Amino acid sequence: MSGNASILSRLPFDEKLIYVDGEWTMSQASQTCRVENPDTAETIATVPECNAQDLDHAVKAAYTAFHDGPWVNEYSGAQRRDALLALATAIEESRQDIEELESLNTGKPISDVRVELDDTIDLFRFFAGYADKVEGRHIAAQTNRNLEGYTVKVPVGVVGFINAFNYPICLLAWKVAPALAAGCTVVFKPGPQTPLTTQYFAHLLHKTGKFPRGVFNVVLGGVGVGQALVDHDLVDKIGFTGSVATGKQVIRSTASTRNVRCTSVELGGKSPGVVMPDADLDKTAKLVVSGCMANAGMNCNALTRLWVHRSIYDEFMPRIKAAAEALVLRTPQDGATEMGPLIDKRQYDRVLEYIRIGREEDKAALLTGGQPALGRGYWIQPTVFFNVSPTARIATEEIFGPVLSVLEPFDSLDEVIEIERKNEFGLAAGIFTRRHQDIAKFTRKLRSGTIWVNNYNALYSYLPFGGFRNSGFGRELGYESFDGYLVPKSIIDDISY
Ligand code: NAD
């Protein structure tokens, strides 16, 4: 705990305060939230659990900043670009602190967090590049030569973000970088389990001196303050990442407020992978296991439903078993660690319950794992079931833990595609083969937001990410995400007047 204690003892912000309207302020609530280290289940911080008054303060600050402040009304796109570039540099300069803090609060292996910080910094630079490239269209007069028509794109307004716990700083960047680049102002709520790097981010944003007051605000807490954000009448857009159940609740709520508002919801997944007969079995086994177990399986696009062709099934299973058992589970701050613990007791209990369901209700065969690990915190062994029916609960429901279901062997890709059409989710999929006909069939027919061919989990700032069906709607990353924070206004000018 010594390295960990050191980052906690030199936090450059007071975790008991919230960042609202350009300053660190006391929450008006008396409630607090415990923040844990999932490796040990020890409490590492106590933060405020904001109430409706805090939320109202934050939304009004963002509203005033949007309508009356300089961010939208005086800054040029180039000034917003430079502010975002300065923020990227500030994150880069403090990245070691942020990495330690993120690893401590999430239990993520430090090597994974380093990659996430690379991505976070890159995202701010990437979206900074769009800030001075907001473009409308001129539409040549169609019916009356005297009427000039053109569009201008304007920022959506105040955006309320509600984040999941699984990639705290990285998903913050997915959301906040394009929204700020577009000229929106933001109220951000992290997952209740993982507030600390969001607070660190607010500290850095403030320190750059380039973001006027009210442009970025943080509220902390869970359902109560999240629901209040969704319900607030001065919010123009909600960007939500989380479970299907909460996402549906958010959609229902945004339809019931006085003004309807645009919403994007990034929800869960049960992503299939397909191993064809010509696949390189050694390479593929490792890709599949990391595709499923990355972030201890708490990954919306985790490869959790694996189809293996009958002709290679028996050869492939020992390789999957070996790859799962080779994963290094150690203290997250150890550079060799490859998989960390679950985030909290609720998630730990949920995953153990699904392992029970796999064994007892689905009657699936256990290839490896199935037990708690390391004897502390929220650790569970990488777990693989095989010969699982494609309709079994462990094959169809999102577990959000290190549990892979290898389905019963298949004979034809057409049969797989037909069954996957009924998958409740459509976030991601993978196929392992060198046959172009199979790749083309799979990528054309499957309704999934991201399809990996002979790799898994790679995501880039410039490629949009999002789902079909219950995986949600809206896109993050790429130009599409930036465009989601802009709305076109049509201007019609009678030049004969
Ligand atoms: P969750 O739905 O429990 O919580 C998500 C967020 O919503 C939290 O900040 C929570 O406090 C807040 N919340 C809860 N009730 C609310 C309400 N009534 N109104 C407003 N906000 C409310 O999800 P989680 O356990 O934090 O995250 C795991 C889920 O997130 C998984 O299903 C995962 O697949 C999904 N996820 C999706 C993506 C994606 O891009 N598609 C990325 C990461 C995670």
Side-chain angles (χ1 to χ4, degrees):
M1 203 36 214
S2 56
N4 302 343
S6 63
I7 174 65
L8 290 172
S9 60
R10 57 185 160 76
L11 288 178
F13 56 89
D14 182 346
E15 76 277 9
K16 299 202 164 38
L17 303 180
I18 49 172
Y19 185 70
V20 175
D21 204 12
E23 51 193 48
W24 290 92
T25 174
M26 289 285 287
S27 157
Q28 315 219 20
S30 50
Q31 304 275 86
T32 54
C33 284
R34 254 173 13 91
V35 181
E36 284 183 330
N37 173 359
D39 174 20
T40 58
E42 287 169 337
T43 300
I44 55 169
T46 305
V47 299
E49 163 109 39
C50 292
N51 62 14
Q53 276 172 291
D54 296 322
L55 189 271
D56 188 56
H57 180 197
V59 172
K60 285 187 173 146
Y63 183 86
T64 304
F66 186 81
H67 290 280
D68 305 322
W71 183 246
V72 189
N73 303 297
E74 290 170 28
Y75 275 37
S76 64
Q79 281 174 296
R80 286 200 291 271
R81 175 199 66 202
D82 291 346
L84 288 166
L85 290 174
L87 182 52
T89 301
I91 298 170
E92 196 164 39
E93 286 167 359
S94 295
R95 63 175 296 166
Q96 218 174 326
D97 273 1
I98 303 173
E99 286 162 7
E100 278 182 50
L101 194 58
E102 190 81 320
S103 174
L104 184 65
N105 188 183
T106 59
K108 285 170 188 281
I110 191 75
S111 55
D112 287 359
V113 177
R114 288 186 185 128
V115 176
E116 289 169 29
L117 259 288
D118 286 344
D119 289 350
T120 301
I121 295 160
D122 177 61
L123 279 156
F124 277 96
R125 295 202 168 122
F126 175 79
F127 283 110
Y130 280 132
D132 59 349
K133 297 174 192 66
V134 177
E135 294 170 355
R137 289 191 299 149
H138 172 258
I139 294 124
Q142 301 288 315
T143 52
N144 179 340
R145 284 182 54 79
N146 289 325
L147 292 184
E148 282 288 353
Y150 58 93
T151 63
V152 290
K153 287 229 176 145
V154 297
V156 165
V158 175
V159 185
F161 284 123
I162 296 170
N163 212 8
F165 66 78
N166 58 339
Y167 288 91
I169 190 74
C170 204
L171 284 186
L172 175 150
W174 283 29
K175 293 172 164 18
V176 172
L180 292 182
C184 294
T185 60
V186 167
V187 176
F188 191 90
K189 190 194 92 59
Q193 305 91 332
T194 52
L196 298 180
T197 50
T198 296
Q199 287 173 299
Y200 205 120
F201 172 83
H203 157 74
L204 292 176
L205 177 136
H206 183 79
K207 208 175 88 174
T208 64
K210 291 188 182 292
F211 293 84
R213 60 188 293 178
V215 168
F216 179 76
N217 308 274
V218 177
V219 290
L220 303 178
V223 181
V225 70
Q227 186 70 52
L229 179 52
V230 171
D231 290 342
H232 202 293
D233 274 324
L234 298 182
V235 174
D236 298 290
K237 174 166 181 159
I238 291 288
F240 172 83
T241 296
S243 60
V244 175
T246 314
K248 287 189 174 177
Q249 170 62 32
V250 166
I251 296 165
R252 277 191 294 271
S253 300
T254 53
S256 317
T257 45
R258 194 189 61 183
N259 302 328
V260 292
R261 73 272 319 260
C262 40
T263 312
S264 86
V265 291
E266 301 293 342
L267 310 177
K270 193 77 191 178
S271 301
V274 182
V275 187
M276 298 300 287
D278 69 313
D280 176 327
L281 299 190
D282 290 325
K283 250 191 207 172
T284 305
K286 287 184 188 141
L287 285 167
V288 164
V289 165
S290 68
C292 177
M293 310 292 173
N295 211 36
M298 296 178 296
N299 200 353
C300 49
N301 51 257
L303 191 173
T304 47
R305 264 170 81 78
L306 185 69
W307 295 92
V308 180
H309 194 270
R310 190 179 304 281
S311 63
I312 49 164
Y313 202 90
D314 292 342
E315 277 177 88
F316 195 56
M317 284 313 106
R319 289 172 167 85
I320 286 280
K321 181 175 187 312
E325 289 175 358
L327 285 176
V328 178
L329 276 63
R330 285 193 207 149
T331 299
Q333 290 71 42
D334 181 327
T337 301
E338 292 175 313
M339 197 186 100
L342 279 300
I343 191 71
D344 59 11
K345 177 82 166 68
R346 189 188 68 146
Q347 200 59 27
Y348 172 85
D349 287 343
R350 176 186 163 90
V351 173
L352 286 179
E353 171 62 5
Y354 268 107
I355 291 172
R356 186 200 65 73
I357 289 169
R359 280 185 168 133
E360 294 174 16
E361 293 179 26
D362 294 335
K363 310 259 184 267
L366 187 68
L367 188 66
T368 186
Q371 298 293 330
L374 300 198
R376 61 173 198 250
Y378 305 124
W379 294 81
I380 294 181
Q381 294 173 333
T383 298
V384 183
F385 287 100
F386 69 114
N387 268 329
V388 182
S389 157
T391 55
R393 286 188 65 190
I394 56 165
T396 53
E397 297 175 18
E398 186 183 49
I399 299 173
F400 226 54
V403 182
L404 173 64
S405 294
V406 185
L407 306 178
E408 293 156 351
F410 76 92
D411 296 297
S412 93
L413 186 58
D414 292 323
E415 160 200 341
V416 170
I417 291 171
E418 185 58 33
I419 294 176
E420 288 304 328
R421 191 177 293 169
K422 298 183 196 93
N423 191 325
E424 175 195 338
F425 300 100
L427 193 59
I431 185 164
F432 300 90
T433 179
R434 292 198 179 91
R435 277 175 49 89
H436 282 291
Q437 295 90 332
D438 290 339
I439 294 169
K441 189 185 278 182
F442 192 72
T443 53
R444 285 177 188 179
K445 289 260 172 112
L446 225 68
R447 305 270 290 166
S448 291
T450 299
I451 302 179
W452 284 288
V453 181
N454 297 326
N455 73 106
Y456 205 87
N457 273 346
L459 292 173
Y460 296 100
S461 310
Y462 49 83
L463 279 175
F465 180 82
F468 287 80
R469 302 185 293 279
N470 263 352
S471 292
F473 53 80
R475 287 293 180 267
E476 301 214 84
L477 305 180
Y479 177 76
E480 289 78 357
S481 148
F482 175 67
D483 200 42
Y485 298 104
L486 295 168
V487 274
K489 276 187 194 170
S490 290
I491 313 294
I492 301 144
D493 182 1
D494 184 344
I495 56 172
S496 69
Y497 177 78

Short mmCIF file of all heavy atoms in Angstrom, two decimals, residues 271-275 284 288 303-308 313 316-317 320 388 404-408 410 430 432:
data_model
loop_
_atom_site.label_atom_id
_atom_site.label_comp_id
_atom_site.label_asym_id
_atom_site.label_seq_id
_atom_site.Cartn_x
_atom_site.Cartn_y
_atom_site.Cartn_z
N SER A 271 -20.82 -9.79 -26.99
CA SER A 271 -20.24 -9.78 -28.33
C SER A 271 -19.72 -11.15 -28.73
O SER A 271 -18.97 -11.79 -27.98
CB SER A 271 -19.12 -8.75 -28.37
OG SER A 271 -19.65 -7.48 -28.06
N PRO A 272 -20.10 -11.58 -29.94
CA PRO A 272 -19.65 -12.89 -30.42
C PRO A 272 -18.29 -12.81 -31.10
O PRO A 272 -17.93 -11.80 -31.70
CB PRO A 272 -20.72 -13.24 -31.45
CG PRO A 272 -21.18 -11.93 -31.99
CD PRO A 272 -21.05 -10.93 -30.86
N GLY A 273 -17.56 -13.91 -31.02
CA GLY A 273 -16.34 -14.09 -31.80
C GLY A 273 -16.48 -15.42 -32.53
O GLY A 273 -17.11 -16.35 -32.02
N VAL A 274 -15.90 -15.49 -33.74
CA VAL A 274 -16.03 -16.72 -34.53
C VAL A 274 -14.64 -17.19 -34.94
O VAL A 274 -13.86 -16.41 -35.51
CB VAL A 274 -16.88 -16.46 -35.80
CG1 VAL A 274 -17.05 -17.75 -36.60
CG2 VAL A 274 -18.23 -15.88 -35.43
N VAL A 275 -14.33 -18.45 -34.63
CA VAL A 275 -13.04 -19.02 -35.02
C VAL A 275 -13.29 -20.02 -36.15
O VAL A 275 -13.95 -21.05 -35.96
CB VAL A 275 -12.35 -19.71 -33.82
CG1 VAL A 275 -10.94 -20.14 -34.21
CG2 VAL A 275 -12.31 -18.79 -32.61
N THR A 284 -4.93 -17.09 -32.05
CA THR A 284 -6.34 -16.77 -31.81
C THR A 284 -6.73 -17.02 -30.35
O THR A 284 -7.49 -16.25 -29.77
CB THR A 284 -7.23 -17.58 -32.77
OG1 THR A 284 -6.81 -17.33 -34.10
CG2 THR A 284 -8.69 -17.21 -32.63
N VAL A 288 -8.50 -14.21 -28.18
CA VAL A 288 -9.84 -14.42 -27.62
C VAL A 288 -9.82 -14.19 -26.11
O VAL A 288 -10.70 -13.50 -25.55
CB VAL A 288 -10.34 -15.86 -27.93
CG1 VAL A 288 -11.50 -16.24 -27.04
CG2 VAL A 288 -10.71 -15.99 -29.40
N LEU A 303 -15.45 -9.89 -25.67
CA LEU A 303 -15.82 -11.06 -26.50
C LEU A 303 -16.24 -12.17 -25.53
O LEU A 303 -15.39 -12.81 -24.91
CB LEU A 303 -14.60 -11.48 -27.32
CG LEU A 303 -14.77 -12.49 -28.44
CD1 LEU A 303 -13.47 -12.62 -29.23
CD2 LEU A 303 -15.22 -13.85 -27.98
N THR A 304 -17.54 -12.37 -25.38
CA THR A 304 -18.00 -13.29 -24.34
C THR A 304 -18.76 -14.51 -24.86
O THR A 304 -19.07 -15.42 -24.11
CB THR A 304 -18.92 -12.54 -23.35
OG1 THR A 304 -19.86 -11.78 -24.12
CG2 THR A 304 -18.12 -11.61 -22.45
N ARG A 305 -19.07 -14.50 -26.16
CA ARG A 305 -19.78 -15.63 -26.80
C ARG A 305 -18.88 -16.12 -27.92
O ARG A 305 -18.79 -15.47 -28.96
CB ARG A 305 -21.03 -15.09 -27.51
CG ARG A 305 -22.31 -15.12 -26.83
CD ARG A 305 -23.33 -14.32 -27.63
NE ARG A 305 -23.93 -15.02 -28.77
CZ ARG A 305 -24.89 -15.92 -28.67
NH1 ARG A 305 -25.37 -16.26 -27.49
NH2 ARG A 305 -25.39 -16.48 -29.75
N LEU A 306 -18.23 -17.25 -27.71
CA LEU A 306 -17.25 -17.68 -28.72
C LEU A 306 -17.78 -18.87 -29.52
O LEU A 306 -18.15 -19.90 -28.95
CB LEU A 306 -15.93 -18.07 -28.05
CG LEU A 306 -14.82 -18.42 -29.05
CD1 LEU A 306 -14.38 -17.17 -29.83
CD2 LEU A 306 -13.62 -19.05 -28.35
N TRP A 307 -17.78 -18.71 -30.84
CA TRP A 307 -18.15 -19.78 -31.77
C TRP A 307 -16.86 -20.40 -32.30
O TRP A 307 -16.01 -19.69 -32.85
CB TRP A 307 -18.94 -19.22 -32.95
CG TRP A 307 -20.27 -18.63 -32.61
CD1 TRP A 307 -20.56 -17.34 -32.32
CD2 TRP A 307 -21.52 -19.34 -32.58
NE1 TRP A 307 -21.91 -17.19 -32.10
CE2 TRP A 307 -22.52 -18.40 -32.25
CE3 TRP A 307 -21.89 -20.68 -32.79
CZ2 TRP A 307 -23.87 -18.73 -32.13
CZ3 TRP A 307 -23.22 -21.02 -32.67
CH2 TRP A 307 -24.21 -20.04 -32.34
N VAL A 308 -16.73 -21.72 -32.16
CA VAL A 308 -15.55 -22.40 -32.69
C VAL A 308 -16.03 -23.50 -33.64
O VAL A 308 -16.93 -24.29 -33.30
CB VAL A 308 -14.71 -23.02 -31.54
CG1 VAL A 308 -13.48 -23.74 -32.09
CG2 VAL A 308 -14.31 -21.93 -30.54
N TYR A 313 -12.55 -27.73 -32.88
CA TYR A 313 -13.03 -27.50 -31.51
C TYR A 313 -12.13 -28.18 -30.47
O TYR A 313 -11.66 -27.54 -29.53
CB TYR A 313 -14.47 -28.02 -31.39
CG TYR A 313 -15.27 -27.40 -30.26
CD1 TYR A 313 -16.02 -26.26 -30.45
CD2 TYR A 313 -15.28 -27.98 -28.99
CE1 TYR A 313 -16.76 -25.69 -29.43
CE2 TYR A 313 -16.02 -27.42 -27.96
CZ TYR A 313 -16.77 -26.27 -28.18
OH TYR A 313 -17.49 -25.72 -27.16
N PHE A 316 -8.75 -26.71 -30.11
CA PHE A 316 -8.70 -25.32 -29.66
C PHE A 316 -8.89 -25.19 -28.14
O PHE A 316 -8.29 -24.31 -27.51
CB PHE A 316 -9.77 -24.52 -30.41
CG PHE A 316 -9.60 -23.03 -30.31
CD1 PHE A 316 -8.41 -22.42 -30.68
CD2 PHE A 316 -10.62 -22.22 -29.82
CE1 PHE A 316 -8.24 -21.04 -30.58
CE2 PHE A 316 -10.46 -20.85 -29.71
CZ PHE A 316 -9.27 -20.26 -30.10
N MET A 317 -9.69 -26.08 -27.56
CA MET A 317 -10.03 -25.92 -26.13
C MET A 317 -8.78 -25.90 -25.22
O MET A 317 -8.68 -25.04 -24.33
CB MET A 317 -11.01 -27.00 -25.66
CG MET A 317 -12.44 -26.81 -26.11
SD MET A 317 -13.11 -25.16 -25.87
CE MET A 317 -13.10 -24.57 -27.52
N ILE A 320 -7.22 -22.47 -25.33
CA ILE A 320 -7.99 -21.44 -24.59
C ILE A 320 -7.74 -21.59 -23.09
O ILE A 320 -7.51 -20.60 -22.37
CB ILE A 320 -9.51 -21.60 -24.89
CG1 ILE A 320 -9.83 -21.10 -26.28
CG2 ILE A 320 -10.38 -20.93 -23.86
CD1 ILE A 320 -9.95 -19.58 -26.37
N VAL A 388 -21.46 -24.65 -24.39
CA VAL A 388 -22.58 -23.87 -23.85
C VAL A 388 -23.63 -23.68 -24.95
O VAL A 388 -23.28 -23.35 -26.10
CB VAL A 388 -22.08 -22.48 -23.38
CG1 VAL A 388 -23.23 -21.67 -22.77
CG2 VAL A 388 -20.92 -22.61 -22.40
N LEU A 404 -15.92 -16.39 -19.99
CA LEU A 404 -16.09 -16.65 -21.43
C LEU A 404 -16.97 -17.88 -21.61
O LEU A 404 -16.76 -18.90 -20.96
CB LEU A 404 -14.71 -16.92 -22.04
CG LEU A 404 -14.67 -17.39 -23.50
CD1 LEU A 404 -15.22 -16.31 -24.45
CD2 LEU A 404 -13.24 -17.76 -23.91
N SER A 405 -17.96 -17.76 -22.51
CA SER A 405 -18.78 -18.93 -22.85
C SER A 405 -18.39 -19.38 -24.25
O SER A 405 -18.67 -18.67 -25.23
CB SER A 405 -20.27 -18.56 -22.85
OG SER A 405 -20.67 -18.25 -21.54
N VAL A 406 -17.74 -20.54 -24.32
CA VAL A 406 -17.48 -21.13 -25.64
C VAL A 406 -18.72 -21.95 -25.98
O VAL A 406 -19.11 -22.85 -25.23
CB VAL A 406 -16.23 -22.02 -25.63
CG1 VAL A 406 -15.94 -22.51 -27.06
CG2 VAL A 406 -15.03 -21.29 -25.06
N LEU A 407 -19.34 -21.59 -27.09
CA LEU A 407 -20.64 -22.22 -27.42
C LEU A 407 -20.42 -23.62 -28.00
O LEU A 407 -19.28 -24.02 -28.31
CB LEU A 407 -21.38 -21.33 -28.42
CG LEU A 407 -21.57 -19.87 -27.96
CD1 LEU A 407 -22.28 -19.07 -29.03
CD2 LEU A 407 -22.33 -19.80 -26.64
N GLU A 408 -21.52 -24.34 -28.18
CA GLU A 408 -21.42 -25.65 -28.83
C GLU A 408 -20.80 -25.46 -30.21
O GLU A 408 -20.98 -24.40 -30.83
CB GLU A 408 -22.84 -26.23 -28.97
CG GLU A 408 -23.47 -26.56 -27.62
CD GLU A 408 -25.00 -26.58 -27.66
OE1 GLU A 408 -25.59 -26.18 -28.69
OE2 GLU A 408 -25.59 -26.99 -26.65
N PHE A 410 -19.95 -25.18 -34.13
CA PHE A 410 -20.84 -24.87 -35.27
C PHE A 410 -20.25 -25.48 -36.55
O PHE A 410 -19.06 -25.82 -36.62
CB PHE A 410 -21.01 -23.35 -35.42
CG PHE A 410 -19.83 -22.64 -36.02
CD1 PHE A 410 -19.75 -22.42 -37.39
CD2 PHE A 410 -18.79 -22.19 -35.23
CE1 PHE A 410 -18.66 -21.76 -37.96
CE2 PHE A 410 -17.69 -21.54 -35.78
CZ PHE A 410 -17.63 -21.33 -37.14
N GLY A 430 -16.16 -10.31 -33.53
CA GLY A 430 -14.84 -10.59 -34.09
C GLY A 430 -14.88 -11.86 -34.91
O GLY A 430 -15.69 -12.75 -34.66
N PHE A 432 -12.02 -14.70 -36.86
CA PHE A 432 -10.62 -15.08 -37.04
C PHE A 432 -10.53 -16.04 -38.22
O PHE A 432 -10.94 -17.20 -38.13
CB PHE A 432 -10.09 -15.72 -35.75
CG PHE A 432 -10.18 -14.76 -34.59
CD1 PHE A 432 -11.33 -14.72 -33.78
CD2 PHE A 432 -9.16 -13.86 -34.32
CE1 PHE A 432 -11.44 -13.82 -32.73
CE2 PHE A 432 -9.27 -12.95 -33.27
CZ PHE A 432 -10.41 -12.92 -32.48
#
